[in-house]
Amino acid sequence: MDVLSDAVAAMRSGRPHSGRRDYLAPWGTRFEPSDGAGFHVVLRGSAWLVPAEGDPVALGPGDVAFLAHGRGHALASGPDVEMDVVRLDPDGAWPELPSPERDAPPDTVMLCGAYLLDRSRAHPLLTELPEVVHLPARVGAHRSLRAAVELLGAELEEAQPGADTVVASLLDTLLLYILRAWWQGERHGTGQPTGWAAALADPAVAAALRAIHGDPAHPWTVEELGARGGLSRAAFARRFAALVGEPPLAYLTWWRMTTAGRLLRTDDLPLRQVAQRTGYASEFAFAKAFKREYGVAPGQYRRRAS
């Protein structure tokens, strides 16, 4: 996997959920805080998004809004209307919302969805996102994202055989397209990219990150990682720490342990194989490192996760 795909996979848990929502003004829905991340796409009409922090955001036709941090937010036909409170089901599914009572076509139609996340190992690539990622509709912009939205909307409008699998796959694809569009905007915007946008745009640091994520079991050294980007050991170490926020080998260890946690949650591999896949020569060394990072032994962590 690449770095962006890995960052999402490391936090994802459970199946994503989505639904098509019809609204007739005046309307308002407040979403309670949750462990998930949510998105909203305006198919027709307009809406106001009121985040937990920051100013309300006006959404128009084709706009996409992504909320990564699960702090709760509201959607409404206006900033000051009365709100119905919505709580996601424990598995992240959206509850049924009241339909418009008046015999009239809806003036706002939206696609809304949620992704369950394990925030105990939140990747910094996602944690540094703003409260609201707003991708306004622009002619010719984010064509892959628009195509995914259209396909998802069609699947949700009329159920077809295989819809469960198709919708889940489209939701995974949509999430990556949203994040890709945001990071590309950060890298190619008018200002200088910072944080992980800058790290992914830096050839030397990006090459090292791809190497770490491509083969976390390899016994990487700072010199070897720096050589991937054509830098000396010292120059690479300074640049990596400045952009990523920690030294190269500290990030390598963090990613190995994050990978190990995901393997223990999702696979039935023996601990010996989990150790090998994350760069540890023995099960004992792996168990010691894992307990230092998570506070529990690998077997106990696996039992809790199951």
Side-chain angles (χ1 to χ4, degrees):
M1 285 188 180
D2 60 90
V3 179
L4 181 56
S5 299
D6 271 348
V8 171
M11 294 183 66
R12 283 286 309 281
S13 62
R15 287 173 61 87
H17 297 274
S18 66
R20 177 184 165 116
R21 308 298 178 197
D22 296 344
Y23 296 105
L24 191 61
W27 59 272
T29 303
R30 181 171 300 281
F31 298 89
E32 295 274 275
S34 71
D35 288 334
F39 72 86
H40 302 287
V41 183
V42 181
L43 298 181
R44 186 170 76 233
S46 62
W48 283 88
L49 188 151
V50 185
E53 300 175 5
D55 297 327
V57 179
L59 303 178
D63 283 12
V64 177
F66 178 66
L67 299 103
H69 306 300
R71 297 190 182 108
H73 62 282
L75 278 176
S77 56
D80 302 317
V81 301
E82 185 177 348
M83 303 283 182
D84 297 319
V85 178
V86 171
R87 296 176 177 84
L88 296 183
D89 294 340
D91 66 349
W94 290 72
E96 290 296 323
L97 298 180
S99 300
E101 295 181 358
R102 283 173 280 174
D103 186 16
D107 47 35
T108 300
V109 179
M110 304 192 69
L111 287 182
C112 303
Y115 303 90
L116 286 177
L117 301 178
D118 176 11
R119 298 190 182 278
S120 65
R121 302 292 295 184
H123 195 284
L125 192 152
L126 296 179
T127 57
E128 71 173 26
L129 287 172
E131 184 71 16
V132 179
V133 172
H134 180 205
L135 301 172
R138 296 191 181 96
V139 176
H142 315 312
R143 284 179 289 184
S144 297
L145 172 60
R146 304 301 164 192
V149 167
E150 289 185 14
L151 288 170
L152 180 59
E155 287 291 330
L156 293 175
E157 185 174 12
E158 184 177 355
Q160 298 287 338
D164 287 349
T165 300
V166 172
V167 168
S169 298
L170 285 173
L171 286 170
D172 287 337
T173 302
L174 182 66
L175 175 57
L176 290 172
Y177 279 150
I178 289 172
L179 295 174
R180 181 191 290 176
W182 170 255
W183 292 115
Q184 288 176 344
E186 285 291 286
R187 284 192 281 178
H188 303 302
T190 56
Q192 184 72 16
T194 59
W196 272 82
L200 295 178
D202 184 277
V205 174
L209 288 169
R210 286 194 299 270
I212 289 172
H213 282 251
D215 189 5
H218 184 80
W220 296 105
T221 65
V222 177
E223 185 175 8
E224 189 177 7
L225 290 170
R228 290 292 180 113
L231 292 179
S232 68
R233 182 185 187 281
F236 165 72
R238 286 194 299 270
R239 186 179 299 183
F240 189 99
L243 296 180
V244 174
E246 58 184 334
L249 297 189
Y251 180 81
L252 171 63
T253 299
W254 183 87
W255 181 246
R256 283 174 169 174
M257 289 291 99
T258 299
T259 301
R262 186 173 75 228
L263 290 173
L264 290 171
R265 291 195 309 270
T266 61
D267 289 298
D268 294 327
L269 293 172
L271 292 185
R272 175 178 53 81
Q273 292 187 29
V274 176
Q276 291 173 349
R277 291 193 183 189
T278 51
Y280 290 88
S282 70
E283 185 177 328
F284 174 78
F286 165 71
K288 185 177 180 181
F290 189 92
K291 187 171 184 178
R292 183 168 58 246
E293 185 79 9
Y294 284 85
V296 296
Q300 186 179 357
Y301 178 87
R302 171 175 272 170
R303 288 191 294 273
R304 286 183 180 178
S306 63

